[in-house]
Amino acid sequence: MIIGSLELFKLVSAGGCGVAAWALWRNQPDQVMRRSLNDVFIRGDLYYKMRGYRGRELRSYPRVIGVKTYIDRTEAAFKLPVGMDPSRITESAWLFRQVLGSGVELALADDGRTFSMRKYSGVIGAFEYDAESVAAALRNMRLPVYVGKSRTGDVAYDMVDHPHLLIAGETGSGKSVALRSILTSLIRQVGAKLELYCADLKRSEFHVFRGVAREVVTDVSGLERIVLRLQREMRHRGDLMDAEEVAHIDDLPADKRPPYIVLAIDEVALLKREKDVMDGVEEISTIGRALGVFLVLAMQRPDAGVLDGRLKNNLTVRMAFRHSDAINSRITIGSDEAARILDRDKGRMVFKLNGCEYVQGPHLTLAAARTLLNPYKNANAIAKPNVNTSVSDNDIIELEVL
Ligand SMILES: Nc1ncnc2c1ncn2[C@@H]1O[C@H](COP(=O)(O)OP(=O)(O)OP(=O)(O)O)[C@@H](O)[C@H]1O
Ligand SMILES: [Mg+2]
């Protein structure tokens, strides 16, 4: 039969499409991973030997049962044939690294047969806070927050655009170090245009900001006073904006524009029973954005017992350090990614702003923060009230006169 040139063209094009589709499928990350794993099994002679018909040797290799790709890694699961010693896989970890690259982790499930393997596409190691490179990353922002490094570079955002921040994670995961580095960067970048208030109910962290922040308090009554002051200030700013007919303090004339205010609270869970304070904090979260009043709240677990739904919803930016389990991780970021952070990865977080990404926060020691903050000492702070800290309107008026 003679094939016409049109038919030939159609046949070749159909064949071409098939080949292209096959090539596309073959290069999907999960297919690449499946092939690489099978390659490891063959190169490493990782199979279970059986005797078949007439004593012929049969090889049963591990079977790849699933591959998933995430923002920063590929995860695969494979199952060993019954009878195969799992230590042959663990002893061949070097071969997995040789074939798949560094950043490979293997873990055996309780059934003694199923291995899960993670392959990180890049490793973001811990790094020390470097004031110069942080300053370079924060240029041209009004209220800059330095988050850290992702695989694609420095991560930072402007708090004026994304107002309220929630930092969560299990004990020792890096929350307080993150607070220290965020506030230190803010003070150094914004200077006198920032009024910073710190509440440190664990009394372990914020002493480094004494004399630099407007006020540092370590008890509930001190925080209550600050919250009342901020509520008054918000009313005042609202009146000002109303008189000038603007919708954001940034639109006020320069001579009337008040400074940005940041209230940072470490260990918010200790305020669980302080309804008045929490109501005030919630009010800030609801109306603070346009008035230039912002929140940074840190706690281990932002469950409903600590944060009420409305306040939590207003904390739109999230830094989720290691969480103890998937349920807690979902409470913070809506996915279980933060539970997959390893215990040894201090300062590693899932950062949620527009989507989620893994970020490594900078390590800023207390001593280094002290040195960086030294030039700013006593520039912003108001004198501490020298008598009792119980709350009354008189206290507030006195403070404002100071
Ligand atoms: N970004 C980081 N890089 C390297 N190491 C870090 C980092 N952040 C924290 N660490 C290490 O982890 C330790 C605990 O961190 P941090 O005090 O911030 O934990 P935390 O989450 O505030 O814990 P807790 O809830 O108990 O207060 C630090 O002393 C430091 O050694
Ligand atoms: Mg802490």
Side-chain angles (χ1 to χ4, degrees):
M1 188 178 71
I2 300 165
I3 300 178
S5 55
L6 185 63
E7 277 78 21
L8 189 66
F9 173 73
K10 280 182 184 166
L11 219 91
V12 170
S13 332
C17 285
V19 170
W22 177 78
L24 211 69
W25 171 82
R26 211 179 128 74
N27 288 317
Q28 291 291 309
D30 56 333
Q31 293 305 322
V32 173
M33 177 54 77
R34 277 172 194 275
R35 279 204 308 280
S36 306
L37 280 170
N38 288 329
D39 189 27
V40 173
F41 303 145
I42 291 167
R43 283 173 192 272
D45 286 337
L46 297 172
Y47 57 82
Y48 182 63
K49 206 167 25 177
M50 292 182 293
R51 291 279 154 211
Y53 183 60
R54 292 195 180 161
R56 271 184 56 198
E57 182 184 300
L58 293 178
R59 296 177 175 185
S60 175
Y61 285 92
R63 190 166 48 88
V64 179
I65 52 178
V67 177
K68 271 189 179 169
T69 39
Y70 292 91
I71 36 179
D72 66 326
R73 66 185 185 281
T74 308
E75 284 190 10
F78 54 88
K79 203 157 195 159
L80 308 188
V82 177
M84 183 171 170
D85 179 358
S87 68
R88 298 202 38 221
I89 298 289
T90 41
E91 281 162 11
S92 304
W94 58 271
L95 180 59
F96 283 82
R97 277 193 282 278
Q98 276 186 1
V99 175
L100 299 160
S102 60
V104 171
E105 290 170 5
L106 286 164
L108 179 63
D110 286 344
D111 65 1
R113 283 179 69 196
T114 312
F115 270 91
S116 63
M117 194 222 61
R118 289 181 186 182
K119 155 91 177 81
Y120 289 91
S121 17
V123 180
I124 336 160
F127 68 103
E128 292 300 315
Y129 184 99
D130 174 59
E132 268 176 37
S133 50
V134 169
L138 299 182
R139 225 169 270 142
N140 303 327
M141 290 191 209
R142 289 164 293 178
L143 210 48
V145 176
Y146 183 70
V147 184
K149 288 184 196 296
S150 73
R151 278 177 302 105
T152 50
D154 286 310
V155 180
Y157 71 94
D158 195 334
M159 215 180 220
V160 177
D161 299 324
H162 306 280
H164 309 297
L165 166 65
L166 168 63
I167 302 175
E170 67 176 28
T171 180
S173 56
K175 302 181 295 296
S176 297
V177 170
L179 268 172
R180 191 189 294 155
S181 107
I182 289 168
L183 300 183
T184 301
S185 314
L186 266 174
I187 289 165
R188 287 175 58 85
Q189 293 306 118
V190 187
K193 277 188 271 158
L194 171 69
E195 259 183 43
L196 174 64
Y197 294 88
C198 300
D200 172 13
L201 302 165
K202 264 179 25 181
R203 293 170 175 259
S204 57
E205 262 303 316
F206 285 162
H207 39 79
V208 68
F209 295 107
R210 265 199 209 116
V212 179
R214 268 261 158 154
E215 230 186 310
V216 177
V217 295
T218 53
D219 56 12
V220 174
S221 60
L223 177 57
E224 205 166 2
R225 200 182 56 241
I226 289 176
V227 168
L228 280 174
R229 164 199 279 269
L230 296 187
Q231 286 174 309
R232 279 166 56 104
E233 176 63 23
M234 288 196 298
R235 278 198 290 278
H236 168 69
R237 290 183 179 200
D239 292 345
L240 201 63
M241 282 161 49
D242 198 34
E244 295 288 332
E245 298 182 2
V246 296
H248 195 287
I249 60 154
D250 283 359
D251 301 325
L252 286 170
D255 58 330
K256 290 186 181 159
R257 203 177 302 148
Y260 296 124
I261 294 176
V262 172
L263 169 60
I265 309 176
D266 198 1
E267 225 30 89
V268 176
L270 297 175
L271 295 169
K272 212 164 161 173
R273 288 186 198 87
E274 307 299 333
K275 188 169 180 323
D276 290 348
V277 175
M278 290 313 285
D279 284 351
V281 170
E282 184 183 307
E283 187 182 339
I284 296 173
S285 81
T286 309
I287 61 171
R289 186 192 62 79
L291 304 169
V293 185
F294 307 101
L295 294 170
V296 179
L297 305 186
M299 71 202 72
Q300 293 182 357
R301 218 173 158 265
D303 60 13
V306 182
L307 283 194
D308 108 327
R310 196 138 54 106
L311 171 55
K312 196 171 136 189
N313 286 343
N314 290 337
L315 302 169
T316 48
V317 188
R318 310 268 165 96
M319 291 182 183
F321 290 88
R322 179 181 151 83
H323 280 52
S324 53
D325 56 47
I327 295 171
N328 281 327
S329 173
R330 269 183 234 124
I331 289 172
T332 305
I333 50 169
S335 87
D336 55 6
E337 294 278 303
R340 294 167 191 266
I341 297 172
L342 303 177
D343 186 33
R344 62 166 189 258
D345 289 336
K346 305 289 183 201
R348 175 84 49 92
M349 71 183 98
V350 176
F351 175 59
K352 186 173 180 194
L353 183 72
N354 306 312
C356 286
E357 63 180 325
Y358 277 99
V359 176
Q360 175 69 35
H363 184 224
L364 177 62
T365 62
L366 208 52
R370 205 165 277 133
T371 311
L372 290 172
L373 292 171
N374 224 4
Y376 301 86
K377 273 249 170 270
N378 300 320
N380 282 345
I382 54 169
K384 251 181 101 90
N386 46 11
V387 273
N388 79 67
T389 50
S390 64
V391 185
S392 76
D393 253 0
N394 289 344
D395 280 333
I396 295 158
I397 290 160
E398 254 180 60
L399 276 166
E400 293 196 336
V401 170
L402 274 169

